[in-house]
């Protein structure tokens, strides 16, 4: 579930988040607790998503999902085929697609695109890019048109 901080509090919460990011050692923990106190004081949040599914998975399934996640995070800038990622999970591509959708409620391609867009947003926010096309290529998209379409979605 996601929550949006009301506009009246956004600057304050943003500053507190930056304090947490920039603090070191025990001061980071103190800044985080301070942030939590401020967030607890806010009474009206806008719900961004109300879909929440709780389910339990076995340790083996958790390890398998971790392997998938770690591989994706290490190789998201490359062209990851279903054959490659399914071999990480020791499944056929068809079985992998069913398995991944069952455990995440999304397709692997949707998940991969979310990772890529997330990384692209980090680059854009920190202004570590020459052009949006370069961000698209650096984050694993094969062309800027696809990046733009996925980004807008």
């Amino acid at each position: 579930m996601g929550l949006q901080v009301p506009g009246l509090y956004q600057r304050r919460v943003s500053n507190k988040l930056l304090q947490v990011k920039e603090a070191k050692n025990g001061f980071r923990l103190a800044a985080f607790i301070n942030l939590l106190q401020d967030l607890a004081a806010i009474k009206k949040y806008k719900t961004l998503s109300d879909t929440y599914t709780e389910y339990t998975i076995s340790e083996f399934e958790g390890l398998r999902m971790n392997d998938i996640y770690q591989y994706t995070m290490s190789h998201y800038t490359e062209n990851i085929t279903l054959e490659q990622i399914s071999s990480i999970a020791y499944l056929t591509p068809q079985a992998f697609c069913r398995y991944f959708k069952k455990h995440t409620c999304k397709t692997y391609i949707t998940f991969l695109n979310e990772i890529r867009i997330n990384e692209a947003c980090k680059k854009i926010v920190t202004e570590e890019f020459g052009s949006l096309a370069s961000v698209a290529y650096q984050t694993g998209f094969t062309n800027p048109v696809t990046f733009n379409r996925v980004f807008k979605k």
Side-chain angles (χ1 to χ4, degrees), residues 85-121:
I85 195 65
S86 63
S87 71
I88 298 300
Y90 302 103
L91 296 168
T92 65
Q94 295 80 11
F96 172 80
C97 288
R98 285 190 305 275
Y99 170 84
F100 194 84
K101 185 141 190 175
K102 175 184 172 193
H103 286 82
T104 64
C105 299
K106 59 180 87 171
T107 66
Y108 179 73
I109 299 304
T110 300
F111 171 72
L112 178 59
N113 283 338
E114 287 174 358
I115 298 293
R116 288 174 171 167
I117 291 297
N118 224 2
E119 294 302 315
C121 287

Side-chain angles (χ1 to χ4, degrees), residues 28-116:
R28 178 175 280 170
L29 178 60
F32 181 68
I33 291 171
N34 196 316
L35 169 66
L36 290 177
Q37 288 174 329
D38 280 8
L39 290 173
I42 299 171
K43 300 297 179 207
K44 297 203 177 209
Y45 287 98
K46 178 182 176 190
T47 303
L48 297 177
S49 172
D50 57 359
T51 57
Y52 176 72
T53 308
E54 186 173 327
Y55 60 91
T56 58
I57 59 172
S58 69
E59 183 177 346
F60 175 75
E61 296 302 324
L63 293 172
R64 179 181 272 174
M65 287 302 291
N66 183 56
D67 290 345
I68 294 166
Y69 179 78
Q70 292 301 327
Y71 182 85
T72 303
M73 292 307 295
S74 298
H75 300 276
Y76 72 89
T77 59
E78 304 165 14
N79 181 26
I80 302 174
T81 65
L82 280 176
E83 287 76 17
Q84 288 171 310
I85 195 65
S86 63
S87 71
I88 298 300
Y90 302 103
L91 296 168
T92 65
Q94 295 80 11
F96 172 80
C97 288
R98 285 190 305 275
Y99 170 84
F100 194 84
K101 185 141 190 175
K102 175 184 172 193
H103 286 82
T104 64
C105 299
K106 59 180 87 171
T107 66
Y108 179 73
I109 299 304
T110 300
F111 171 72
L112 178 59
N113 283 338
E114 287 174 358
I115 298 293
R116 288 174 171 167

